Amino acid sequence: MLTAGIDLAAEPPRTAVAWLTWSSNGAQVTRLELGAKDDLLIEAITAATKTGIDCPFGWPVKFIDFITAHRTGHVTVPQDVPALIWRHDLTHRVTDQAVEARTGRRPLSASADRIGHTTMRCAALLSTLAAQGHPVDRRGTGAAVEVYPAATLRLWNLPHQSYKRPTELNVLVDRLKREAPWLDLAGHEALCRTSADATDAVICALAARAAALGLATTPPPEHSETAAAEGWIALPTTPLNDLIQAP
């Protein structure tokens, strides 16, 4: 199996992509690139069994309804609910709220944070994939699945707070090597120690493996329709070492 991981940014300079080749003995980072343009990302996604992308796959449905109503007239504002409460459903998707409830990590908002620019790029990537005939399902059953490195690290009991700082990044790489001796960073270890984007891409590729094996969360039936529009973050449901339990 080949999995890929993309730490997506609005522009190529901060975008990283990793390729992980899996065998019965573990996994090897066979390629790791920074400054990835769209054509390289499409190449990775189409070559891999599953690709994990760190970026929202869509916007909150209630946010879309809100701005649509505003465009054509006036919005209906709840009178008996504090503004901070009703705005929360406009800024955070169902999956964002599920992730926060499970991990304590609140994903950035595609509608109220700067990650909205990255979400636009992601939407274009998914559109390109679909146009080329590759299966795209924002719930994660297609070629790509939405992942969240910080929450994934937390669930695998790895450093997940402030890990992007230089000293903490070295700690994370050391812990990852110790907890997953079957993961061969090959000639890319130095890059992982100096670039949080590169390390995140590797984590995304590991999370993609979990999703490919059915070892990650999927939207429950009551949220399936909403997730098809908003996207769904796949969180690992088993320990890190379970990733090498299947071929």
Side-chain angles (χ1 to χ4, degrees):
M1 180 186 289
L2 172 69
T3 64
I6 296 173
D7 182 46
L8 193 65
E11 298 296 334
R14 290 294 308 275
T15 299
V17 55
W19 288 256
L20 263 64
T21 301
W22 296 83
S23 68
S24 58
N25 298 320
Q28 183 182 66
V29 179
T30 50
R31 187 177 177 185
L32 183 58
E33 300 280 352
L34 292 177
K37 297 181 180 179
D38 288 1
D39 56 350
L40 183 59
L41 302 182
I42 295 296
E43 175 189 330
I45 296 169
T46 55
T49 303
K50 181 76 76 175
T51 299
I53 303 178
D54 178 18
C55 178
F57 277 15
W59 287 265
V61 168
K62 291 184 178 181
F63 170 72
I64 299 298
D65 292 343
F66 185 83
I67 60 173
T68 299
H70 178 66
R71 179 186 179 186
T72 58
H74 299 287
V75 299
T76 300
V77 179
Q79 299 300 312
D80 56 348
V81 179
L84 189 63
I85 300 299
W86 64 258
R87 288 203 306 264
H88 187 258
D89 285 341
L90 304 183
T91 58
H92 289 85
R93 302 169 297 161
V94 172
T95 188
D96 297 330
Q97 297 178 45
V99 167
E100 184 177 12
R102 183 177 177 193
T103 70
R105 302 281 316 200
R106 175 179 290 186
L108 293 174
S109 167
S111 58
D113 288 316
R114 291 187 64 184
I115 199 172
H117 291 271
T118 310
T119 307
M120 295 174 193
R121 185 184 181 193
C122 185
L125 282 173
L126 297 180
S127 178
T128 300
L129 285 170
Q132 294 180 357
H134 299 284
V136 174
D137 188 326
R138 296 176 204 169
R139 292 168 292 194
T141 62
V145 62
E146 184 180 340
V147 297
Y148 182 18
T152 296
L153 290 170
R154 186 190 185 286
L155 292 171
W156 281 337
N157 296 313
L158 291 167
H160 63 279
Q161 294 182 328
S162 303
Y163 69 91
K164 297 188 179 186
R165 296 173 182 171
T167 54
E168 283 81 359
L169 189 59
N170 272 307
V171 172
L172 171 58
V173 174
D174 288 340
R175 280 285 304 279
L176 185 60
K177 291 182 63 179
R178 184 165 67 250
E179 300 297 329
W182 44 264
L183 176 62
D184 182 8
L185 297 176
H188 309 290
E189 181 176 336
L191 181 57
C192 287
R193 291 185 180 278
T194 57
S195 168
D197 300 325
T199 301
D200 269 351
V202 173
I203 301 302
C204 288
L206 290 169
R209 168 74 168 183
L213 295 178
L215 305 177
T217 57
T218 56
E222 66 270 22
H223 294 315
S224 182
E225 183 178 352
T226 300
E230 295 185 346
W232 190 264
I233 297 171
L235 296 176
T237 56
T238 63
L240 177 60
N241 284 323
D242 282 3
L243 298 187
I244 58 171
Q245 298 301 312

